[in-house]
Amino acid sequence: MAITSANQLELLQTAEAVAREKMIDPNLVVEAMEESLARAAKSRYGAEMDIRVSIDRKTGKATFTRVRTVVEEEELENYQAEVTVAQAKEYLADPQIGDEITEEVPPVELGRIAAQSAKQVILQKVREAERDRQFEEFKDRAGTIINGVVKREEYGNVIVDIGRGEGILRRNEKIGREAYRPNDRIRCFIKDVRREVRGPQVFLSRTAPEFMAELFKMEVPEIYDGIIEIKAVARDPGSRAKIAVISYDNSIDPVGACVGMRGSRVQAVVNELQGEKIDIIPWNDDQPTFLVNALQPAEVTKVVLDEDAGKIEVVVPDEQLSLAIGRRGQNVRLASQLTGLDIDILTEAEESERRQAEFAERTKLFMDNLDLDEFFAQLLVSEGFSNLEEVAYVEVDELLVIDGVDQETATELQARARDVLEAANRKALEHARELGVEDSLVDFEGLTPQMIEALAEDGVKSLEDFATCADWELAGGWTTVNGERVKDDGILEKFDMPLEEAQNLVMTARVLLGWVDPSDLASESEEPVEEEMEDEA
């Protein structure tokens, strides 16, 4: 088939028809045709030639041209597509390196093989353009809900027709044991859109927490308008979920708005999620209060929060334990996901036993070290004294409020406590010296003999050793490994040393050794103050 003998407008009509069908730019189809014709011409004139084809966008006329590029003589490799400056003077008045010589060549006859090759090039280009269009269309829709029609199921994964493309709902993204048949309508959350070798892949989900949040946004106008905000969602797909909401309008109850009249709004979400039970919880910036809400319907007696460890201890009545934990730990697991805290649940009886054990331990401490009878030792513990240091160095007036304690008794108590502590200090220091501790560390202000002993047992025996320690090595800390918080034990952690104090001690040691200039520390401490003053201004 000669390109000249065909109706030239047919090319443009074909391009427009394909573009309409595939919903892509007609110019892309025309460019694919130009490339396919150029490839066919190269097979006719020679693969080493640079043959280019240009199709007029109005008339459909195809122009075939041969292009040769001007190169330096020593770089001339391809005689069919390159010329030297001297050779180019036949065609150009003042040829320069990089100039192109263009001359028209006769159109080629498209044989059966060439036509088939041209068709393949056009199809490939159209397919690539279609993939790019699909990616551009769906990449901005990630994080939204889409309606689709089930096409087929492959190895448990559902292929969904989502209009101008296909999405995949993986087996682990389906709720429970959902089963779909071809042509079933389905609503999914677009979890991710990625470019892959096979083309753009649209990954769908029905188990993502964001799916529930988007469903509520569709059912509750106040959420869509921003009056109510969904702060956190935790799901056990197909079984139970918890959602935390907050209202920015005091006149609107966030929980009531999400439930709707006679539960109509929440019921619409429940129906879409295959009967998943949903607890709607009011958000609170105070974590213990929020946790009490999150553990509903269980009642909570007491909450103890450890912010550094990211853990929280909850005390519930004995009869509420199973309700707080939930079936297979579901309730406490969802509450933990919602709050981002590790939750330990104790019954009142278990907490009482622990308190009694601590009480007995402190009572024994005072009985053994201060030579007191059980009743008197219990009085001290009841008044809040937990260790010998508190008894030895507290103001005398705080001891005099205890029944039966006069000035003489208080003085005697403090003297006994100090004697015990001084004996313990001497023993600890002697042991530390036996381990090889240097005077530089013993004389360093801020460390007790027991701390020096603990450092020596860990191999820290001089001020230089101490100055090389990191603050967390002394005070302990927490790190996140594979998504879980892991405890790092500190050498001085058992002495309740805060991280900030450990940092100050290490920096002081470095200054004494001359490793750090004190003026640098002063400038560093002033910078945040200056920044705060600038912010306020």
Side-chain angles (χ1 to χ4, degrees):
M1 179 188 74
I3 194 69
T4 52
S5 64
N7 182 354
Q8 294 172 340
L9 286 174
E10 248 183 60
L11 286 173
L12 295 181
Q13 290 168 354
T14 304
E16 287 176 5
V18 171
R20 267 198 309 273
E21 182 186 347
K22 301 295 184 180
M23 304 186 73
I24 57 177
D25 185 358
N27 279 329
L28 293 173
V29 183
V30 175
E31 286 171 9
M33 289 179 169
E34 289 174 341
E35 186 178 329
S36 63
L37 289 172
R39 185 173 294 187
K42 281 184 181 181
S43 65
R44 166 71 175 80
Y45 289 112
E48 292 182 349
M49 283 192 182
D50 184 3
I51 303 292
R52 302 178 190 177
V53 179
S54 175
I55 297 176
D56 190 295
R57 299 302 194 266
K58 292 181 180 178
T59 64
K61 181 182 178 183
T63 304
F64 290 70
T65 54
R66 176 191 180 187
V67 179
R68 287 179 287 177
T69 306
V70 180
V71 297
E72 293 181 5
E73 189 168 351
E74 58 271 16
E75 293 182 0
L76 182 64
E77 293 180 356
N78 184 355
Y79 294 93
Q80 299 290 349
E82 296 172 344
V83 294
T84 63
V85 175
Q87 293 169 338
K89 286 180 180 177
E90 294 181 28
Y91 308 94
L92 300 173
D94 183 23
Q96 301 293 326
I97 303 298
D99 287 350
E100 291 183 344
I101 301 170
T102 305
E103 53 187 334
E104 193 169 338
V105 295
V108 298
E109 293 278 336
L110 283 183
R112 185 176 61 81
I113 296 175
Q116 190 67 24
S117 174
K119 182 181 178 182
Q120 289 297 329
V121 171
I122 293 172
L123 287 175
Q124 180 64 26
K125 284 288 182 183
V126 168
R127 198 175 294 118
E128 287 175 5
E130 192 178 8
R131 286 174 175 175
D132 288 340
R133 178 203 48 80
Q134 184 176 334
F135 178 76
E136 291 299 322
E137 178 179 345
F138 286 106
K139 74 171 183 179
D140 296 329
R141 296 182 66 181
T144 62
I145 287 178
I146 193 167
N147 293 316
V149 177
V150 174
K151 292 185 73 173
R152 63 188 181 278
E153 191 166 349
E154 297 176 351
Y155 307 107
N157 303 324
V158 179
I159 308 302
V160 182
D161 183 350
I162 48 178
R164 299 180 184 176
E166 288 184 353
I168 179 169
L169 179 65
R170 295 185 183 277
R171 184 173 11 187
N172 59 337
E173 298 290 348
K174 294 193 292 185
I175 297 174
R177 297 182 179 178
E178 283 182 327
Y180 295 101
R181 291 177 296 181
N183 299 321
D184 281 353
R185 296 200 63 80
I186 187 172
R187 185 183 286 180
C188 299
F189 176 77
I190 300 179
K191 192 172 184 179
D192 192 16
V193 181
R194 294 201 299 263
R195 285 187 188 274
E196 293 193 356
V197 179
R198 305 177 289 177
Q201 294 291 307
V202 181
F203 295 97
L204 308 175
S205 175
R206 285 175 56 80
T207 61
E210 297 89 349
F211 182 45
M212 175 181 285
E214 288 297 315
L215 288 173
F216 268 103
K217 189 183 291 186
M218 293 170 66
E219 296 294 336
V220 184
E222 291 86 350
I223 295 177
Y224 183 82
D225 294 336
I227 300 170
I228 294 174
E229 183 186 354
I230 297 172
K231 299 288 284 186
V233 181
R235 290 183 65 191
D236 193 349
S239 178
R240 192 171 177 186
K242 290 180 184 285
I243 180 169
V245 291
I246 186 172
S247 173
Y248 296 111
D249 186 338
N250 294 333
S251 64
I252 295 178
D253 171 27
V255 176
C258 291
V259 172
M261 187 72 69
R262 296 181 181 176
S264 58
R265 291 175 174 177
V266 71
Q267 193 57 47
V269 178
V270 169
N271 292 341
E272 178 63 41
L273 299 177
Q274 305 294 321
E276 193 170 312
K277 295 176 183 175
I278 303 173
D279 296 335
I280 303 172
I281 296 159
W283 171 270
N284 197 303
D285 289 325
D286 180 54
Q287 282 190 314
T289 305
F290 180 43
L291 180 66
V292 171
N293 296 338
L295 280 171
Q296 291 176 0
E299 298 175 7
V300 176
T301 308
K302 189 168 77 172
V303 174
V304 180
L305 174 64
D306 183 351
E307 291 185 359
D308 292 335
K311 284 193 172 185
I312 199 159
E313 204 170 77
V314 177
V315 180
V316 299
D318 294 17
E319 68 277 5
Q320 293 278 317
L321 180 62
S322 59
L323 191 61
I325 294 174
R327 192 175 71 175
R328 297 177 184 173
Q330 187 183 64
N331 192 50
V332 69
R333 184 171 67 251
L334 291 175
S336 179
Q337 290 175 16
L338 204 66
T339 58
L341 297 167
D342 290 336
I343 301 173
D344 291 333
I345 294 185
L346 300 174
T347 63
E348 289 178 342
E350 288 171 337
E351 199 223 0
S352 175
E353 285 177 15
R354 192 176 65 179
R355 278 207 315 268
Q356 288 173 7
E358 288 176 358
F359 189 88
E361 186 181 343
R362 291 173 184 173
T363 300
K364 189 173 186 307
L365 172 72
F366 292 140
M367 288 172 63
D368 293 346
N369 290 282
L370 301 180
D371 194 21
L372 301 176
D373 60 28
E374 185 177 4
F375 176 74
F376 204 101
Q378 287 176 348
L379 276 178
L380 281 177
V381 178
S382 300
E383 287 296 327
F385 291 95
S386 59
N387 56 53
L388 295 174
E389 285 82 358
E390 291 176 359
V391 176
Y393 302 112
V394 78
E395 292 292 331
V396 176
D397 293 343
E398 293 191 34
L399 288 170
L400 293 176
V401 299
I402 303 173
D403 290 339
V405 176
D406 54 20
Q407 184 72 35
E408 185 180 348
T409 307
T411 305
E412 175 64 20
L413 270 176
Q414 289 198 315
R416 289 184 187 179
R418 286 170 184 167
D419 287 344
V420 172
L421 289 173
E422 286 171 8
N425 288 346
R426 283 195 302 272
K427 185 177 178 181
L429 210 52
E430 287 172 6
H431 184 222
R433 290 192 183 280
E434 288 173 7
L435 292 172
V437 164
E438 297 180 9
D439 289 340
S440 60
L441 191 61
V442 174
D443 298 336
F444 181 62
E445 192 174 347
L447 296 177
T448 66
Q450 284 81 4
M451 290 180 183
I452 295 170
E453 181 185 28
L455 288 167
E457 288 173 345
D458 207 78
V460 180
K461 300 178 182 179
S462 66
L463 193 60
E464 287 82 359
D465 294 341
F466 184 80
T468 58
C469 291
D471 48 11
W472 60 268
E473 288 181 288
L474 300 176
W478 292 82
T479 53
T480 303
V481 179
N482 297 328
E484 293 187 6
R485 291 175 66 79
V486 179
K487 184 73 178 69
D488 292 322
D489 294 326
I491 304 171
L492 305 180
E493 187 175 355
K494 61 184 177 182
F495 303 104
D496 296 327
M497 175 169 285
L499 194 66
E500 188 176 352
E501 185 181 342
Q503 189 177 25
N504 289 336
L505 286 173
V506 170
M507 293 309 294
T508 303
R510 291 173 183 174
V511 169
L512 288 174
L513 292 167
W515 296 359
V516 176
D517 188 343
S519 60
D520 294 340
L521 294 179
S523 63
E524 284 178 13
S525 62
E526 286 170 7
E527 281 175 7
V529 177
E530 290 172 2
E531 288 174 6
E532 286 174 12
M533 291 175 68
E534 288 173 6
D535 291 342
E536 288 175 7

